[in-house]
Amino acid sequence: MSTFLTHSTPNASTSMAPTFLLVGLPGLSAVPSWWAVPLITVYLLSALGNGAILWIIALEPTLHRPMYFFLFLLSMSDVGLSTALMPTLLGLAFANTHAVSASACLLQMFFVHVFSVVESSVLLAMALDRALAICRPLHYPTLLTNGVISKICVAIAFRCLGLHLPLPFLLAHMPYCRPQVLTHSYCLHPDIARLACPGGGGAVYSLFVVLSAMGLDPLLILFSYGLIGRVLQGLGSCEDRWKAGQTCAAHLSAVLLFYVPMVLLALIDRLRMPIPQPACTLLSYVHFLLPPLINPILYSVKMKEIRERIHKRLQPRKVGCA
């Protein structure tokens, strides 16, 4: 990886910085260890909740179905995303460490975006699953076979790795003209690309990666729910509509939880809204840290089979008398 001169002359073109500077949670820099407690608590609860989902789906043969397989992938991406964020967050919380090396920053950026796009892709696959189950219930078992699910998984892996693998190398060799101060507590590629000199080719590729995933997926999910809504309107009774709608409740909640903060952050950035930086930082934490914490609760509460299987596994086994 090339090196980056640390001076910040506006018109000077330089290569990648040896360090980037992160921002902590505003107002807590004087007492950094205080917010380590909620951070660790959120991470442990996220790991515990998603671990329970992974455990019960892996152990229960009755849950080896498309909907629960996608839920398995969602929990894996949630664990990966929260784990990728923790190194810099805990460094800021415990030691008020704002400087992070370029190689470590690009590595974190890669994993954060890969797991984010995995989550977005899985949410799209789950929307497709629900649309097929409600719109084509008789053909659902033949449409979403194990072979089709395997192809979906390969497509998700190719999409995430194929699109994001070039990014660290492109950003490492782009010319930079601005001070190496980021606006978040972790490394994100729009944040790093913003420091580059105008006209860099990597910025165009970065925009393509963002739009191909985070721009396309919500539109396709919205289209899937449009199809579902049309079918629900045609059902005879309110009870039938309620039962069918309930199968989508957890997924729709997860979609809103993941995309709404992201869209708000994008609008604030693009429209240059006069929002205080602490509010943007907190909204960024909500976008990245809340879904891994809340998703296991949503699916455990809304999906009866998950709840019953966990309860059954946690019950003490009765030992009969010989």
Side-chain angles (χ1 to χ4, degrees), residues 101-125:
S101 68
S103 56
C105 193
L106 291 177
L107 188 64
Q108 183 186 51
M109 178 206 73
F110 173 75
F111 283 111
V112 167
H113 287 293
V114 163
F115 285 119
S116 293
V117 175
V118 168
E119 181 148 355
S120 181
S121 302
V122 172
L123 288 173
L124 175 58

mmCIF file of all heavy atoms in Angstrom, residues 101-125:
data_model
loop_
_atom_site.group_PDB
_atom_site.id
_atom_site.type_symbol
_atom_site.label_atom_id
_atom_site.label_comp_id
_atom_site.label_asym_id
_atom_site.label_seq_id
_atom_site.Cartn_x
_atom_site.Cartn_y
_atom_site.Cartn_z
ATOM 1 N N SER A 101 -4.728 3.101 11.175
ATOM 2 C CA SER A 101 -3.862 2.981 10.003
ATOM 3 C C SER A 101 -4.692 2.788 8.741
ATOM 4 O O SER A 101 -5.825 2.294 8.776
ATOM 5 C CB SER A 101 -2.899 1.809 10.182
ATOM 6 O OG SER A 101 -3.602 0.582 10.154
ATOM 7 N N ALA A 102 -4.103 3.163 7.595
ATOM 8 C CA ALA A 102 -4.817 3.058 6.326
ATOM 9 C C ALA A 102 -5.193 1.613 6.011
ATOM 10 O O ALA A 102 -6.302 1.334 5.560
ATOM 11 C CB ALA A 102 -3.956 3.636 5.202
ATOM 12 N N SER A 103 -4.268 0.681 6.258
ATOM 13 C CA SER A 103 -4.561 -0.725 5.950
ATOM 14 C C SER A 103 -5.694 -1.254 6.824
ATOM 15 O O SER A 103 -6.598 -1.947 6.333
ATOM 16 C CB SER A 103 -3.299 -1.575 6.138
ATOM 17 O OG SER A 103 -2.786 -1.428 7.447
ATOM 18 N N ALA A 104 -5.671 -0.920 8.133
ATOM 19 C CA ALA A 104 -6.742 -1.360 9.029
ATOM 20 C C ALA A 104 -8.064 -0.712 8.649
ATOM 21 O O ALA A 104 -9.125 -1.347 8.701
ATOM 22 C CB ALA A 104 -6.383 -1.034 10.475
ATOM 23 N N CYS A 105 -8.009 0.548 8.243
ATOM 24 C CA CYS A 105 -9.227 1.276 7.861
ATOM 25 C C CYS A 105 -9.864 0.653 6.617
ATOM 26 O O CYS A 105 -11.078 0.423 6.571
ATOM 27 C CB CYS A 105 -8.889 2.743 7.615
ATOM 28 S SG CYS A 105 -10.318 3.834 7.489
ATOM 29 N N LEU A 106 -9.045 0.349 5.615
ATOM 30 C CA LEU A 106 -9.571 -0.247 4.389
ATOM 31 C C LEU A 106 -10.095 -1.660 4.637
ATOM 32 O O LEU A 106 -11.078 -2.078 4.019
ATOM 33 C CB LEU A 106 -8.489 -0.260 3.316
ATOM 34 C CG LEU A 106 -8.076 1.106 2.767
ATOM 35 C CD1 LEU A 106 -6.951 0.962 1.757
ATOM 36 C CD2 LEU A 106 -9.262 1.820 2.132
ATOM 37 N N LEU A 107 -9.452 -2.387 5.537
ATOM 38 C CA LEU A 107 -9.924 -3.727 5.876
ATOM 39 C C LEU A 107 -11.283 -3.661 6.560
ATOM 40 O O LEU A 107 -12.201 -4.428 6.225
ATOM 41 C CB LEU A 107 -8.899 -4.427 6.784
ATOM 42 C CG LEU A 107 -9.154 -5.911 7.062
ATOM 43 C CD1 LEU A 107 -9.052 -6.730 5.777
ATOM 44 C CD2 LEU A 107 -8.164 -6.438 8.101
ATOM 45 N N GLN A 108 -11.421 -2.745 7.522
ATOM 46 C CA GLN A 108 -12.720 -2.583 8.183
ATOM 47 C C GLN A 108 -13.779 -2.144 7.178
ATOM 48 O O GLN A 108 -14.908 -2.660 7.183
ATOM 49 C CB GLN A 108 -12.633 -1.569 9.313
ATOM 50 C CG GLN A 108 -13.951 -1.429 10.075
ATOM 51 C CD GLN A 108 -13.928 -0.330 11.111
ATOM 52 O OE1 GLN A 108 -13.567 0.801 10.814
ATOM 53 N NE2 GLN A 108 -14.318 -0.659 12.341
ATOM 54 N N MET A 109 -13.432 -1.192 6.315
ATOM 55 C CA MET A 109 -14.362 -0.722 5.293
ATOM 56 C C MET A 109 -14.866 -1.886 4.438
ATOM 57 O O MET A 109 -16.077 -2.002 4.178
ATOM 58 C CB MET A 109 -13.670 0.308 4.408
ATOM 59 C CG MET A 109 -14.525 0.847 3.276
ATOM 60 S SD MET A 109 -13.538 1.442 1.880
ATOM 61 C CE MET A 109 -12.975 -0.122 1.186
ATOM 62 N N PHE A 110 -13.959 -2.752 4.024
ATOM 63 C CA PHE A 110 -14.326 -3.885 3.172
ATOM 64 C C PHE A 110 -15.346 -4.780 3.867
ATOM 65 O O PHE A 110 -16.403 -5.103 3.299
ATOM 66 C CB PHE A 110 -13.075 -4.685 2.812
ATOM 67 C CG PHE A 110 -13.358 -5.966 2.087
ATOM 68 C CD1 PHE A 110 -13.721 -5.963 0.756
ATOM 69 C CD2 PHE A 110 -13.255 -7.185 2.746
ATOM 70 C CE1 PHE A 110 -13.988 -7.148 0.084
ATOM 71 C CE2 PHE A 110 -13.525 -8.376 2.089
ATOM 72 C CZ PHE A 110 -13.889 -8.361 0.748
ATOM 73 N N PHE A 111 -15.071 -5.169 5.116
ATOM 74 C CA PHE A 111 -15.975 -6.088 5.808
ATOM 75 C C PHE A 111 -17.299 -5.427 6.171
ATOM 76 O O PHE A 111 -18.359 -6.072 6.082
ATOM 77 C CB PHE A 111 -15.293 -6.662 7.056
ATOM 78 C CG PHE A 111 -14.304 -7.742 6.757
ATOM 79 C CD1 PHE A 111 -12.941 -7.537 6.944
ATOM 80 C CD2 PHE A 111 -14.719 -8.962 6.264
ATOM 81 C CE1 PHE A 111 -12.022 -8.539 6.658
ATOM 82 C CE2 PHE A 111 -13.816 -9.968 5.972
ATOM 83 C CZ PHE A 111 -12.459 -9.760 6.160
ATOM 84 N N VAL A 112 -17.273 -4.156 6.561
ATOM 85 C CA VAL A 112 -18.519 -3.460 6.889
ATOM 86 C C VAL A 112 -19.441 -3.422 5.678
ATOM 87 O O VAL A 112 -20.637 -3.732 5.764
ATOM 88 C CB VAL A 112 -18.232 -2.033 7.405
ATOM 89 C CG1 VAL A 112 -19.523 -1.201 7.429
ATOM 90 C CG2 VAL A 112 -17.636 -2.075 8.804
ATOM 91 N N HIS A 113 -18.886 -3.082 4.522
ATOM 92 C CA HIS A 113 -19.725 -2.973 3.329
ATOM 93 C C HIS A 113 -20.124 -4.336 2.784
ATOM 94 O O HIS A 113 -21.242 -4.495 2.274
ATOM 95 C CB HIS A 113 -19.020 -2.137 2.271
ATOM 96 C CG HIS A 113 -18.982 -0.680 2.603
ATOM 97 N ND1 HIS A 113 -20.112 0.099 2.641
ATOM 98 C CD2 HIS A 113 -17.963 0.136 2.960
ATOM 99 C CE1 HIS A 113 -19.792 1.335 2.982
ATOM 100 N NE2 HIS A 113 -18.488 1.380 3.181
ATOM 101 N N VAL A 114 -19.250 -5.328 2.877
ATOM 102 C CA VAL A 114 -19.620 -6.670 2.430
ATOM 103 C C VAL A 114 -20.792 -7.207 3.247
ATOM 104 O O VAL A 114 -21.793 -7.686 2.701
ATOM 105 C CB VAL A 114 -18.411 -7.631 2.512
ATOM 106 C CG1 VAL A 114 -18.883 -9.087 2.454
ATOM 107 C CG2 VAL A 114 -17.449 -7.373 1.362
ATOM 108 N N PHE A 115 -20.704 -7.105 4.572
ATOM 109 C CA PHE A 115 -21.789 -7.621 5.406
ATOM 110 C C PHE A 115 -23.054 -6.777 5.264
ATOM 111 O O PHE A 115 -24.170 -7.315 5.364
ATOM 112 C CB PHE A 115 -21.349 -7.691 6.866
ATOM 113 C CG PHE A 115 -20.420 -8.833 7.164
ATOM 114 C CD1 PHE A 115 -19.136 -8.609 7.646
ATOM 115 C CD2 PHE A 115 -20.826 -10.145 6.948
ATOM 116 C CE1 PHE A 115 -18.279 -9.666 7.916
ATOM 117 C CE2 PHE A 115 -19.961 -11.209 7.205
ATOM 118 C CZ PHE A 115 -18.692 -10.972 7.687
ATOM 119 N N SER A 116 -22.910 -5.479 5.014
ATOM 120 C CA SER A 116 -24.088 -4.637 4.778
ATOM 121 C C SER A 116 -24.806 -5.061 3.508
ATOM 122 O O SER A 116 -26.047 -5.152 3.474
ATOM 123 C CB SER A 116 -23.685 -3.167 4.683
ATOM 124 O OG SER A 116 -23.214 -2.679 5.910
ATOM 125 N N VAL A 117 -24.040 -5.327 2.442
ATOM 126 C CA VAL A 117 -24.659 -5.735 1.182
ATOM 127 C C VAL A 117 -25.197 -7.162 1.281
ATOM 128 O O VAL A 117 -26.221 -7.485 0.667
ATOM 129 C CB VAL A 117 -23.663 -5.581 0.017
ATOM 130 C CG1 VAL A 117 -24.255 -6.109 -1.278
ATOM 131 C CG2 VAL A 117 -23.295 -4.120 -0.164
ATOM 132 N N VAL A 118 -24.538 -8.026 2.058
ATOM 133 C CA VAL A 118 -25.106 -9.352 2.310
ATOM 134 C C VAL A 118 -26.479 -9.209 2.973
ATOM 135 O O VAL A 118 -27.452 -9.864 2.565
ATOM 136 C CB VAL A 118 -24.172 -10.203 3.202
ATOM 137 C CG1 VAL A 118 -24.891 -11.453 3.695
ATOM 138 C CG2 VAL A 118 -22.917 -10.608 2.444
ATOM 139 N N GLU A 119 -26.561 -8.343 3.981
ATOM 140 C CA GLU A 119 -27.840 -8.147 4.672
ATOM 141 C C GLU A 119 -28.901 -7.601 3.721
ATOM 142 O O GLU A 119 -30.046 -8.063 3.711
ATOM 143 C CB GLU A 119 -27.661 -7.201 5.861
ATOM 144 C CG GLU A 119 -28.936 -6.961 6.635
ATOM 145 C CD GLU A 119 -28.705 -6.724 8.110
ATOM 146 O OE1 GLU A 119 -27.554 -6.828 8.573
ATOM 147 O OE2 GLU A 119 -29.693 -6.448 8.811
ATOM 148 N N SER A 120 -28.519 -6.616 2.908
ATOM 149 C CA SER A 120 -29.466 -6.063 1.942
ATOM 150 C C SER A 120 -29.916 -7.124 0.942
ATOM 151 O O SER A 120 -31.106 -7.223 0.601
ATOM 152 C CB SER A 120 -28.804 -4.886 1.203
ATOM 153 O OG SER A 120 -29.686 -4.305 0.278
ATOM 154 N N SER A 121 -28.979 -7.945 0.477
ATOM 155 C CA SER A 121 -29.310 -9.002 -0.491
ATOM 156 C C SER A 121 -30.219 -10.056 0.125
ATOM 157 O O SER A 121 -31.147 -10.552 -0.533
ATOM 158 C CB SER A 121 -28.023 -9.656 -1.003
ATOM 159 O OG SER A 121 -27.156 -8.714 -1.598
ATOM 160 N N VAL A 122 -29.959 -10.410 1.382
ATOM 161 C CA VAL A 122 -30.795 -11.412 2.054
ATOM 162 C C VAL A 122 -32.195 -10.860 2.287
ATOM 163 O O VAL A 122 -33.192 -11.581 2.127
ATOM 164 C CB VAL A 122 -30.139 -11.854 3.377
ATOM 165 C CG1 VAL A 122 -31.085 -12.742 4.172
ATOM 166 C CG2 VAL A 122 -28.842 -12.607 3.098
ATOM 167 N N LEU A 123 -32.305 -9.590 2.658
ATOM 168 C CA LEU A 123 -33.632 -8.977 2.820
ATOM 169 C C LEU A 123 -34.400 -9.006 1.501
ATOM 170 O O LEU A 123 -35.619 -9.232 1.478
ATOM 171 C CB LEU A 123 -33.498 -7.553 3.334
ATOM 172 C CG LEU A 123 -33.059 -7.402 4.798
ATOM 173 C CD1 LEU A 123 -32.789 -5.938 5.125
ATOM 174 C CD2 LEU A 123 -34.104 -7.969 5.754
ATOM 175 N N LEU A 124 -33.698 -8.801 0.392
ATOM 176 C CA LEU A 124 -34.339 -8.893 -0.921
ATOM 177 C C LEU A 124 -34.771 -10.329 -1.210
ATOM 178 O O LEU A 124 -35.882 -10.562 -1.709
ATOM 179 C CB LEU A 124 -33.371 -8.401 -1.999
ATOM 180 C CG LEU A 124 -33.839 -8.551 -3.456
ATOM 181 C CD1 LEU A 124 -35.142 -7.812 -3.693
ATOM 182 C CD2 LEU A 124 -32.752 -8.050 -4.406
ATOM 183 N N ALA A 125 -33.910 -11.294 -0.900
ATOM 184 C CA ALA A 125 -34.263 -12.707 -1.111
ATOM 185 C C ALA A 125 -35.462 -13.104 -0.251
ATOM 186 O O ALA A 125 -36.338 -13.861 -0.696
ATOM 187 C CB ALA A 125 -33.063 -13.600 -0.793
#
